[in-house]
Amino acid sequence: MEEARKLDALYVRDKMLEYGSFWGTVIDQLYCPGNPYNLFLKGQHHKVPVMLGNTSSEFFAVPDTGSVEEFRALAVEMFGGKAEEYLKLCGVDSGKLEEMIHKASVSNIEYAVRIAVKANCDSGSGVPMYYYTFDAEIPGWEDPGTFHSVDLWFHFETLAKCWRPFVGKHYDLARQMCNYLAYFMGTGDPNGKDSTGEDLPLWKPCTPEAPYGMVFADKAEFVKEPAGEVMQFLVEQYFKRQSIYI
């Protein structure tokens, strides 16, 4: 351990990147007997309530194509006979590559969440899953957007420890998010009273039939909007491919 602590941070980072991925859970076959996400999809997990979500601008999957023709070829490679349906959803008729790429870009984490929600429902586990999207305005000279982990300052009410010029609406949102988290940790249900004595906005579980979630923006609001059409298509295709392999 002493030798490890003497290593330069950039050296450690570069060694990690040689493997082409971020650090993840160590699958030691004791504490962690396999890929946690894959085990969850198979229903091999403790049947307890789950809270999960993503920030609105992190980890987007963007098609790496330089022309409409390349985009078409990629669609055929990925979806075969369903390629035309996918291309139509991406606005191929416009002939504008930039517009197509924009429509095709989706959040990797939201995609994983929606697959997990459907798999959980299909398993009949009865486990409630509470989904959120963090979309608050984050102040700062560099206009950072909702970068990865920025929601943690709000979940744990630590805004005052950051240099960013947060104002009243941010502190109100942080109070609500921290209350949701505390209720969830204590009872398995995020709903309850705000510190003000008022009821927090009702947060219902996310299911394939009601694929909705809490949006944490200027305030906490449960938004009844389904996933985008491209996202719905991708999730559907995932499960169709799984049925082929089973």
Side-chain angles (χ1 to χ4, degrees):
M1 288 300 297
E2 290 181 2
E3 292 179 2
R5 291 191 177 106
K6 292 178 182 178
L7 294 175
D8 180 76
L10 295 181
Y11 170 83
V12 175
R13 181 204 63 187
D14 293 342
K15 282 297 181 182
M16 178 270 293
L17 292 175
E18 287 181 9
Y19 292 93
S21 63
F22 294 110
W23 284 296
T25 305
V26 176
I27 301 174
D28 59 3
Q29 304 305 329
L30 294 173
Y31 175 77
C32 184
N35 181 289
Y37 183 71
N38 291 339
L39 291 175
F40 187 94
L41 296 186
K42 294 176 182 178
Q44 299 173 12
H45 59 90
H46 292 295
K47 304 306 186 287
V48 296
V50 179
M51 179 188 288
L52 66 178
N54 56 278
T55 70
S56 59
S57 60
E58 67 176 327
F59 299 145
F60 267 67
V62 181
D64 185 15
T65 57
S67 68
V68 173
E69 290 70 28
E70 287 183 8
F71 195 106
R72 279 186 172 277
L74 179 62
V76 172
E77 178 184 342
M78 294 177 65
F79 305 115
K82 289 288 185 177
E84 285 302 319
E85 180 181 346
Y86 172 73
L87 288 167
K88 185 176 181 181
L89 293 174
C90 296
V92 68
D93 292 338
S94 72
K96 299 177 180 178
L97 179 63
E98 186 173 331
E99 178 181 323
M100 292 167 61
I101 290 176
H102 176 73
K103 289 184 175 181
S105 300
V106 296
S107 164
N108 280 324
I109 300 181
E110 181 187 352
Y111 174 65
V113 166
R114 296 198 178 279
I115 288 174
V117 167
K118 178 168 171 48
N120 176 64
C121 183
D122 290 348
S123 73
S125 73
V127 170
M129 300 183 71
Y130 297 93
Y131 175 55
Y132 73 86
T133 300
F134 183 83
D135 193 32
E137 175 267 330
I138 303 301
W141 61 268
E142 82 281 45
D143 189 22
T146 52
F147 53 89
H148 181 63
S149 79
V150 66
D151 50 330
L152 298 184
W153 285 332
F154 292 76
H155 276 304
F156 300 120
E157 281 197 285
T158 56
L159 298 185
K161 295 183 179 296
C162 177
W163 63 266
R164 295 183 181 279
F166 291 115
V167 295
K169 66 178 182 179
H170 299 108
Y171 285 92
D172 287 339
L173 178 62
R175 185 191 70 250
Q176 289 181 309
M177 289 177 62
C178 189
N179 282 327
Y180 278 125
L181 184 60
Y183 280 121
F184 179 76
M185 292 173 66
T187 69
D189 185 332
N191 295 290
K193 295 283 186 182
D194 197 345
S195 310
T196 61
E198 300 175 324
D199 288 333
L200 289 165
L202 183 62
W203 189 347
K204 297 181 181 180
C206 182
T207 67
E209 295 73 32
Y212 315 128
M214 191 64 70
V215 174
F216 295 126
D218 280 348
K219 60 181 179 179
E221 182 179 12
F222 188 76
V223 177
K224 293 184 176 180
E225 287 185 6
E229 291 183 324
V230 171
M231 179 65 76
Q232 293 181 47
F233 173 88
L234 294 175
V235 172
E236 178 184 331
Q237 291 304 303
Y238 173 86
F239 284 97
K240 284 185 177 180
R241 287 197 300 270
Q242 296 306 304
S243 66
I244 292 174
Y245 298 136
I246 293 175

